[in-house]
Amino acid sequence: MNVLVTGGAGFIGSHTVVALAEAGFTPIILDDFSNSEAGVIDGLEQILGYRPTTYTENCHNPETLRRIFRDENIQGVIHFAAFKAVGESMQKPLEYYDNNVGALIVLLKTMQECHIPNLIFSSSCTVYGEPDALPVTEQTPVKPAFSVYGNTKQIGEEILHDTVSAGIPLKITALRYFNPIGAHPSAAIGELPRGVPNNLVPFITQTAAGLRSSLTVFGDDYPTPDGTCIRDYIHVLDLAEAHVAALRHLVQLNTSSFYDIFNIGTGQGVSVMELINSFERVTGVSLNYSIGPRRSGDVTAVYAGVEKSEQMLGWKATRSMDQALEDAWRWQVRVDKG
Ligand code: UFG
Protein backbone atom coordinates (compact mmCIF):
# COMPACT_ATOMS: atom_id res chain seq x y z
CA MET A 1 0.00 0.00 0.00
CA ASN A 2 1.40 3.39 -1.05
CA VAL A 3 1.14 6.05 1.63
CA LEU A 4 1.68 9.76 1.12
CA VAL A 5 3.59 11.27 4.05
CA THR A 6 3.25 15.05 4.04
CA GLY A 7 6.06 16.58 6.09
CA GLY A 8 7.92 13.28 5.66
CA ALA A 9 11.30 14.99 5.96
CA GLY A 10 10.48 16.38 9.40
CA PHE A 11 11.38 14.90 12.78
CA ILE A 12 8.34 12.69 13.35
CA GLY A 13 7.64 12.32 9.62
CA SER A 14 11.06 10.89 8.77
CA HIS A 15 10.92 8.32 11.58
CA THR A 16 7.43 7.34 10.45
CA VAL A 17 8.75 6.82 6.91
CA VAL A 18 11.16 4.27 8.39
CA ALA A 19 8.43 2.56 10.45
CA LEU A 20 6.09 2.40 7.43
CA ALA A 21 8.76 0.89 5.22
CA GLU A 22 9.71 -1.66 7.88
CA ALA A 23 6.04 -2.66 8.16
CA GLY A 24 5.77 -3.29 4.40
CA PHE A 25 4.10 -0.03 3.32
CA THR A 26 5.59 2.17 0.60
CA PRO A 27 6.01 5.73 1.91
CA ILE A 28 6.01 8.60 -0.60
CA ILE A 29 7.27 11.89 0.86
CA LEU A 30 5.75 15.30 0.12
CA ASP A 31 7.71 18.06 1.83
CA ASP A 32 8.54 21.63 0.88
CA PHE A 33 11.67 21.54 3.09
CA SER A 34 10.66 24.85 4.67
CA ASN A 35 11.62 23.43 8.08
CA SER A 36 13.76 20.41 7.19
CA GLU A 37 17.01 19.63 5.42
CA ALA A 38 17.63 17.77 2.16
CA GLY A 39 20.11 15.56 4.05
CA VAL A 40 17.20 13.83 5.79
CA ILE A 41 16.53 11.94 2.57
CA ASP A 42 20.18 10.75 2.55
CA GLY A 43 19.70 9.53 6.13
CA LEU A 44 16.55 7.68 5.10
CA GLU A 45 18.40 6.09 2.19
CA GLN A 46 21.11 4.94 4.59
CA ILE A 47 18.54 3.25 6.85
CA LEU A 48 16.20 1.85 4.18
CA GLY A 49 18.78 0.87 1.57
CA TYR A 50 16.91 2.82 -1.10
CA ARG A 51 15.96 6.45 -1.66
CA PRO A 52 12.31 7.05 -0.84
CA THR A 53 10.33 8.83 -3.56
CA THR A 54 10.24 12.48 -2.56
CA TYR A 55 8.25 15.41 -3.95
CA THR A 56 9.71 18.79 -3.00
CA GLU A 57 6.45 20.71 -3.14
CA ASN A 58 3.91 22.34 -0.90
CA CYS A 59 0.76 20.47 0.04
CA HIS A 60 -1.55 23.53 -0.29
CA ASN A 61 -1.97 22.98 -3.99
CA PRO A 62 -4.81 20.62 -5.01
CA GLU A 63 -3.20 20.13 -8.41
CA THR A 64 -0.02 18.80 -6.76
CA LEU A 65 -2.04 16.45 -4.58
CA ARG A 66 -4.15 15.18 -7.51
CA ARG A 67 -1.03 14.47 -9.55
CA ILE A 68 0.75 12.61 -6.74
CA PHE A 69 -2.37 10.66 -5.75
CA ARG A 70 -2.73 9.51 -9.35
CA ASP A 71 0.92 8.95 -10.29
CA GLU A 72 1.78 7.12 -7.09
CA ASN A 73 -1.46 5.19 -6.64
CA ILE A 74 -1.83 6.57 -3.11
CA GLN A 75 -4.26 4.76 -0.78
CA GLY A 76 -3.63 6.59 2.44
CA VAL A 77 -2.19 9.85 3.75
CA ILE A 78 -0.33 10.69 6.94
CA HIS A 79 -0.48 14.45 7.31
CA PHE A 80 2.43 15.83 9.34
CA ALA A 81 3.12 19.00 7.34
CA ALA A 82 2.41 21.91 9.68
CA PHE A 83 4.06 24.71 11.61
CA LYS A 84 4.67 23.88 15.26
CA ALA A 85 6.37 26.69 17.17
CA VAL A 86 4.06 27.91 19.92
CA GLY A 87 5.72 31.35 20.35
CA GLU A 88 6.01 32.03 16.63
CA SER A 89 2.34 31.15 16.15
CA MET A 90 1.39 34.17 18.30
CA GLN A 91 3.40 36.47 15.98
CA LYS A 92 2.23 34.91 12.72
CA PRO A 93 -1.35 33.76 13.25
CA LEU A 94 -2.41 34.00 9.61
CA GLU A 95 0.56 31.93 8.42
CA TYR A 96 -0.28 29.31 11.06
CA TYR A 97 -4.00 29.18 10.24
CA ASP A 98 -3.22 29.07 6.53
CA ASN A 99 -0.60 26.32 6.77
CA ASN A 100 -2.17 24.19 9.50
CA VAL A 101 -5.88 24.66 8.77
CA GLY A 102 -6.05 25.90 5.15
CA ALA A 103 -3.86 23.09 3.83
CA LEU A 104 -5.86 20.49 5.81
CA ILE A 105 -9.06 21.61 4.07
CA VAL A 106 -7.38 21.40 0.67
CA LEU A 107 -6.12 17.93 1.53
CA LEU A 108 -9.54 16.69 2.69
CA LYS A 109 -11.34 18.04 -0.39
CA THR A 110 -8.78 16.52 -2.73
CA MET A 111 -8.81 13.18 -0.92
CA GLN A 112 -12.59 13.09 -1.23
CA GLU A 113 -12.46 14.01 -4.91
CA CYS A 114 -9.78 11.39 -5.66
CA HIS A 115 -11.36 8.68 -3.47
CA ILE A 116 -8.39 8.28 -1.14
CA PRO A 117 -10.01 6.71 1.92
CA ASN A 118 -7.49 6.77 4.81
CA LEU A 119 -6.03 9.72 6.71
CA ILE A 120 -3.97 10.06 9.86
CA PHE A 121 -3.74 13.55 11.33
CA SER A 122 -1.07 14.89 13.70
CA SER A 123 -2.72 16.42 16.74
CA SER A 124 -1.22 17.28 20.10
CA CYS A 125 -1.76 16.88 23.81
CA THR A 126 -1.83 20.67 23.80
CA VAL A 127 -5.61 20.35 23.20
CA TYR A 128 -5.99 19.32 26.89
CA GLY A 129 -4.52 22.59 28.17
CA GLU A 130 -4.05 22.47 31.96
CA PRO A 131 -6.01 19.31 32.76
CA ASP A 132 -8.11 18.97 35.93
CA ALA A 133 -7.19 15.30 36.42
CA LEU A 134 -4.32 13.04 35.35
CA PRO A 135 -3.68 11.04 33.30
CA VAL A 136 -5.67 12.63 30.49
CA THR A 137 -7.83 10.23 28.52
CA GLU A 138 -9.49 10.85 25.17
CA GLN A 139 -12.65 11.72 27.14
CA THR A 140 -10.89 14.49 29.05
CA PRO A 141 -12.47 17.76 27.93
CA VAL A 142 -10.57 19.92 25.49
CA LYS A 143 -9.69 23.30 27.02
CA PRO A 144 -9.55 26.67 25.24
CA ALA A 145 -6.20 26.80 23.44
CA PHE A 146 -3.30 28.75 24.97
CA SER A 147 -1.77 29.54 21.59
CA VAL A 148 -2.60 29.95 17.93
CA TYR A 149 -0.65 26.74 17.31
CA GLY A 150 -2.82 24.87 19.83
CA ASN A 151 -5.93 26.37 18.29
CA THR A 152 -4.93 25.11 14.83
CA LYS A 153 -4.85 21.57 16.25
CA GLN A 154 -8.25 21.98 17.92
CA ILE A 155 -9.79 23.43 14.78
CA GLY A 156 -8.18 20.66 12.74
CA GLU A 157 -9.82 18.02 14.96
CA GLU A 158 -13.19 19.79 14.66
CA ILE A 159 -12.93 19.91 10.87
CA LEU A 160 -12.20 16.17 10.79
CA HIS A 161 -15.07 15.40 13.14
CA ASP A 162 -17.53 17.49 11.13
CA THR A 163 -16.35 16.02 7.83
CA VAL A 164 -16.98 12.47 8.97
CA SER A 165 -20.23 13.41 10.76
CA ALA A 166 -21.52 14.65 7.41
CA GLY A 167 -21.07 11.14 6.02
CA ILE A 168 -18.22 12.06 3.69
CA PRO A 169 -16.50 8.77 2.87
CA LEU A 170 -13.21 9.29 4.68
CA LYS A 171 -11.69 7.18 7.46
CA ILE A 172 -9.69 9.45 9.73
CA THR A 173 -7.64 8.97 12.88
CA ALA A 174 -6.25 11.89 14.87
CA LEU A 175 -3.26 11.07 17.06
CA ARG A 176 -2.64 13.34 20.02
CA TYR A 177 1.11 13.28 20.47
CA PHE A 178 2.70 13.83 23.83
CA ASN A 179 6.41 14.85 23.85
CA PRO A 180 8.45 13.04 21.19
CA ILE A 181 12.19 12.80 21.86
CA GLY A 182 15.13 10.68 20.70
CA ALA A 183 16.32 9.69 17.26
CA HIS A 184 16.85 6.61 15.11
CA PRO A 185 19.55 4.51 16.87
CA SER A 186 21.67 4.57 13.68
CA ALA A 187 21.94 8.37 14.13
CA ALA A 188 21.16 8.69 10.42
CA ILE A 189 18.05 10.79 11.18
CA GLY A 190 16.95 12.79 14.22
CA GLU A 191 15.61 16.15 15.32
CA LEU A 192 17.14 19.16 13.54
CA PRO A 193 15.76 22.35 15.05
CA ARG A 194 16.62 25.55 13.21
CA GLY A 195 18.04 28.30 15.40
CA VAL A 196 17.55 28.16 19.15
CA PRO A 197 15.57 25.04 20.07
CA ASN A 198 12.20 25.57 21.78
CA ASN A 199 11.97 22.03 23.10
CA LEU A 200 13.73 20.63 26.12
CA VAL A 201 15.72 17.68 24.77
CA PRO A 202 17.33 19.41 21.77
CA PHE A 203 18.24 22.28 24.11
CA ILE A 204 19.82 19.78 26.51
CA THR A 205 21.82 17.97 23.82
CA GLN A 206 23.03 21.25 22.29
CA THR A 207 24.08 22.50 25.72
CA ALA A 208 25.86 19.23 26.51
CA ALA A 209 27.64 19.52 23.14
CA GLY A 210 28.82 23.03 24.01
CA LEU A 211 26.72 24.77 21.34
CA ARG A 212 24.75 26.60 24.06
CA SER A 213 26.32 27.81 27.27
CA SER A 214 23.54 26.85 29.66
CA LEU A 215 20.05 25.38 29.86
CA THR A 216 17.41 27.35 31.73
CA VAL A 217 14.90 25.24 33.62
CA PHE A 218 11.69 27.20 33.23
CA GLY A 219 10.44 27.35 36.81
CA ASP A 220 10.90 25.12 39.88
CA ASP A 221 7.93 26.44 41.85
CA TYR A 222 5.20 24.36 40.22
CA PRO A 223 3.01 22.17 42.47
CA THR A 224 4.88 18.97 41.54
CA PRO A 225 7.18 16.82 43.74
CA ASP A 226 10.37 18.61 42.63
CA GLY A 227 8.72 21.86 41.50
CA THR A 228 9.41 21.38 37.76
CA CYS A 229 6.83 20.63 35.08
CA ILE A 230 5.79 17.09 34.24
CA ARG A 231 5.43 15.74 30.69
CA ASP A 232 5.10 12.40 28.93
CA TYR A 233 8.27 11.91 26.84
CA ILE A 234 7.93 9.26 24.16
CA HIS A 235 10.65 7.81 21.90
CA VAL A 236 10.01 9.12 18.39
CA LEU A 237 10.24 5.56 17.01
CA ASP A 238 7.43 4.43 19.33
CA LEU A 239 5.42 7.40 18.10
CA ALA A 240 6.29 6.47 14.50
CA GLU A 241 5.09 2.91 15.06
CA ALA A 242 1.80 4.23 16.45
CA HIS A 243 1.11 5.60 12.95
CA VAL A 244 1.61 2.15 11.45
CA ALA A 245 -0.78 0.65 14.00
CA ALA A 246 -3.32 3.42 13.37
CA LEU A 247 -3.10 2.96 9.62
CA ARG A 248 -3.56 -0.82 9.87
CA HIS A 249 -6.56 -0.23 12.10
CA LEU A 250 -8.11 2.21 9.60
CA VAL A 251 -7.50 -0.03 6.61
CA GLN A 252 -9.23 -3.03 8.14
CA LEU A 253 -12.33 -1.10 9.26
CA ASN A 254 -15.49 -2.21 7.52
CA THR A 255 -17.01 1.21 7.20
CA SER A 256 -16.60 4.06 4.73
CA SER A 257 -16.77 6.97 7.23
CA PHE A 258 -14.85 6.92 10.48
CA TYR A 259 -13.27 9.36 12.91
CA ASP A 260 -11.55 8.68 16.19
CA ILE A 261 -8.85 10.16 18.40
CA PHE A 262 -6.05 8.43 20.31
CA ASN A 263 -3.50 9.58 22.85
CA ILE A 264 0.02 8.59 21.86
CA GLY A 265 2.27 8.71 24.90
CA THR A 266 3.91 6.34 27.37
CA GLY A 267 1.55 6.93 30.29
CA GLN A 268 4.50 8.02 32.48
CA GLY A 269 4.89 11.55 33.79
CA VAL A 270 8.51 12.76 34.10
CA SER A 271 9.65 16.11 35.50
CA VAL A 272 12.18 18.40 33.84
CA MET A 273 14.68 17.71 36.65
CA GLU A 274 14.17 13.94 36.39
CA LEU A 275 14.85 14.15 32.67
CA ILE A 276 18.02 16.22 33.19
CA ASN A 277 19.27 13.75 35.82
CA SER A 278 18.56 10.81 33.51
CA PHE A 279 20.41 12.51 30.67
CA GLU A 280 23.49 13.04 32.83
CA ARG A 281 23.39 9.45 34.11
CA VAL A 282 22.89 7.86 30.70
CA THR A 283 25.47 9.91 28.80
CA GLY A 284 27.98 10.60 31.57
CA VAL A 285 27.96 14.25 30.49
CA SER A 286 27.26 16.86 33.13
CA LEU A 287 24.93 19.59 32.07
CA ASN A 288 25.31 23.28 32.76
CA TYR A 289 21.88 24.49 33.84
CA SER A 290 20.22 27.02 36.07
CA ILE A 291 16.71 27.61 37.34
CA GLY A 292 14.90 30.51 35.67
CA PRO A 293 11.41 31.94 35.68
CA ARG A 294 8.41 30.08 34.35
CA ARG A 295 7.82 30.14 30.59
CA SER A 296 4.46 31.63 29.75
CA GLY A 297 1.92 29.15 28.43
CA ASP A 298 3.45 26.06 30.10
CA VAL A 299 1.04 23.73 31.88
CA THR A 300 2.08 22.16 35.19
CA ALA A 301 1.65 18.52 34.30
CA VAL A 302 0.25 16.40 31.51
CA TYR A 303 0.67 12.72 30.71
CA ALA A 304 -1.34 10.26 28.70
CA GLY A 305 -3.90 7.66 29.55
CA VAL A 306 -2.93 4.99 27.03
CA GLU A 307 -5.60 2.31 27.47
CA LYS A 308 -7.59 3.24 24.40
CA SER A 309 -4.64 3.07 22.00
CA GLU A 310 -3.46 -0.19 23.58
CA GLN A 311 -6.90 -1.77 23.28
CA MET A 312 -8.04 -0.45 19.92
CA LEU A 313 -4.77 -0.04 18.02
CA GLY A 314 -2.85 -2.87 19.72
CA TRP A 315 0.00 -0.42 20.18
CA LYS A 316 2.00 0.70 23.17
CA ALA A 317 5.33 2.42 23.69
CA THR A 318 8.13 -0.09 24.31
CA ARG A 319 11.29 2.01 24.47
CA SER A 320 12.54 3.61 27.69
CA MET A 321 13.31 7.26 28.25
CA ASP A 322 16.94 6.28 28.85
CA GLN A 323 17.05 4.74 25.38
CA ALA A 324 15.51 7.89 23.89
CA LEU A 325 18.07 10.10 25.63
CA GLU A 326 20.96 7.88 24.51
CA ASP A 327 19.67 8.03 20.93
CA ALA A 328 19.17 11.81 21.10
CA TRP A 329 22.76 12.21 22.32
CA ARG A 330 24.21 9.87 19.68
CA TRP A 331 22.40 11.96 17.05
CA GLN A 332 23.71 15.25 18.48
CA VAL A 333 27.29 13.93 18.46
CA ARG A 334 26.87 12.82 14.86
CA VAL A 335 25.40 16.15 13.74
CA ASP A 336 28.31 17.99 15.35
CA LYS A 337 30.82 15.85 13.45
CA GLY A 338 29.03 16.94 10.26
N1 UFG B 1 11.79 23.46 29.25
C1 UFG B 1 12.79 24.04 30.01
N2 UFG B 1 13.82 24.65 29.36
C2 UFG B 1 13.91 24.71 28.01
C3 UFG B 1 12.89 24.10 27.22
C4 UFG B 1 11.84 23.48 27.90
O1 UFG B 1 12.75 24.02 31.24
O2 UFG B 1 14.85 25.30 27.48
C5 UFG B 1 10.69 22.78 29.95
C6 UFG B 1 9.35 23.42 29.65
O3 UFG B 1 9.12 24.48 30.52
C7 UFG B 1 8.43 22.22 29.86
C8 UFG B 1 9.28 21.02 29.43
O4 UFG B 1 10.61 21.48 29.46
O5 UFG B 1 8.13 22.10 31.19
C9 UFG B 1 8.95 20.53 28.05
O6 UFG B 1 9.01 21.62 27.16
P1 UFG B 1 9.01 21.42 25.59
O7 UFG B 1 9.07 22.77 24.95
O8 UFG B 1 10.02 20.41 25.17
O9 UFG B 1 7.60 20.73 25.33
P2 UFG B 1 6.14 21.28 25.66
O10 UFG B 1 5.53 20.28 26.59
O11 UFG B 1 6.09 22.69 26.01
O12 UFG B 1 5.58 21.20 24.18
C10 UFG B 1 4.65 20.31 23.84
C11 UFG B 1 4.72 20.03 22.34
C12 UFG B 1 4.21 21.20 21.56
C13 UFG B 1 2.93 21.71 22.14
C14 UFG B 1 3.11 22.08 23.57
C15 UFG B 1 1.89 22.70 24.16
O13 UFG B 1 6.05 19.75 21.94
O14 UFG B 1 3.98 20.76 20.23
O15 UFG B 1 3.45 20.89 24.26
O16 UFG B 1 2.14 23.19 25.43
F1 UFG B 1 2.47 22.77 21.50
Side-chain angles (χ1 to χ4, degrees), residues 84 86 124-126 149 179 198-201 203 215-218 229 231 233 272 295 297-298:
K84 60 167 191 174
V86 174
S124 165
C125 66
T126 192
Y149 163 76
N179 291 56
N198 291 312
N199 295 115
L200 179 61
V201 169
F203 207 107
L215 168 80
T216 305
V217 174
F218 296 138
C229 293
R231 296 287 183 274
Y233 297 95
V272 175
R295 178 173 72 176
D298 275 341

Side-chain angles (χ1 to χ4, degrees), residues 8-262:
F11 174 43
I12 308 174
S14 58
H15 289 82
T16 301
V17 165
V18 172
L20 284 167
E22 281 175 355
F25 293 92
T26 303
I28 313 289
I29 296 171
L30 170 60
D31 201 302
D32 65 3
F33 292 86
S34 61
N35 194 25
S36 52
E37 305 295 332
V40 172
I41 308 301
D42 302 328
L44 287 170
E45 182 175 10
Q46 202 181 311
I47 295 167
L48 301 177
Y50 65 90
R51 218 169 163 76
T53 303
T54 303
Y55 289 85
T56 306
E57 293 178 69
N58 188 283
C59 62
H60 281 62
N61 185 345
E63 202 35 64
T64 303
L65 292 171
R66 272 185 212 113
R67 175 168 40 83
I68 300 174
F69 287 163
R70 186 189 58 230
D71 292 355
E72 300 292 346
N73 187 25
I74 297 294
Q75 285 147 324
V77 179
I78 305 185
H79 182 47
F80 291 106
F83 293 150
K84 60 167 191 174
V86 174
E88 183 188 62
S89 75
M90 306 305 284
Q91 317 300 322
K92 298 181 174 176
L94 296 179
E95 281 86 341
Y96 270 68
Y97 285 117
D98 185 38
N99 198 40
N100 294 11
V101 179
L104 175 64
I105 294 172
V106 171
L107 177 65
L108 288 166
K109 283 176 143 176
T110 316
M111 286 180 72
Q112 185 192 2
E113 175 195 320
C114 299
H115 308 287
I116 313 289
N118 305 298
L119 172 66
I120 296 178
F121 174 71
S122 302
S123 190
S124 165
C125 66
T126 192
V127 301
Y128 297 115
E130 181 82 69
D132 299 326
L134 290 166
V136 289
T137 73
E138 292 80 355
Q139 275 76 51
T140 299
V142 162
K143 292 273 181 75
F146 276 27
S147 68
V148 170
Y149 163 76
N151 208 26
T152 67
K153 293 298 173 190
Q154 292 194 6
I155 294 170
E157 288 191 0
E158 285 173 9
I159 290 170
L160 300 177
H161 173 271
D162 293 347
T163 301
V164 170
S165 296
I168 291 172
L170 287 170
K171 297 191 283 181
I172 306 175
T173 294
L175 301 181
R176 289 178 176 162
Y177 308 154
F178 285 68
N179 291 56
I181 61 168
H184 192 273
S186 66
I189 55 172
E191 192 167 5
L192 261 185
R194 285 190 172 159
V196 182
N198 291 312
N199 295 115
L200 179 61
V201 169
F203 207 107
I204 288 178
T205 58
Q206 290 195 7
T207 306
L211 302 174
R212 317 241 157 242
S213 56
S214 174
L215 168 80
T216 305
V217 174
F218 296 138
D220 70 349
D221 57 350
Y222 284 94
T224 62
D226 66 18
T228 64
C229 293
I230 290 175
R231 296 287 183 274
D232 184 337
Y233 297 95
I234 176 170
H235 196 299
V236 65
L237 278 179
D238 279 324
L239 178 54
E241 287 165 5
H243 293 77
V244 174
L247 188 58
R248 286 196 168 126
H249 170 258
L250 273 189
V251 168
Q252 71 194 20
L253 283 172
N254 246 339
T255 167
S256 59
S257 279
F258 174 86
Y259 177 60
D260 209 348
I261 294 168
F262 296 92

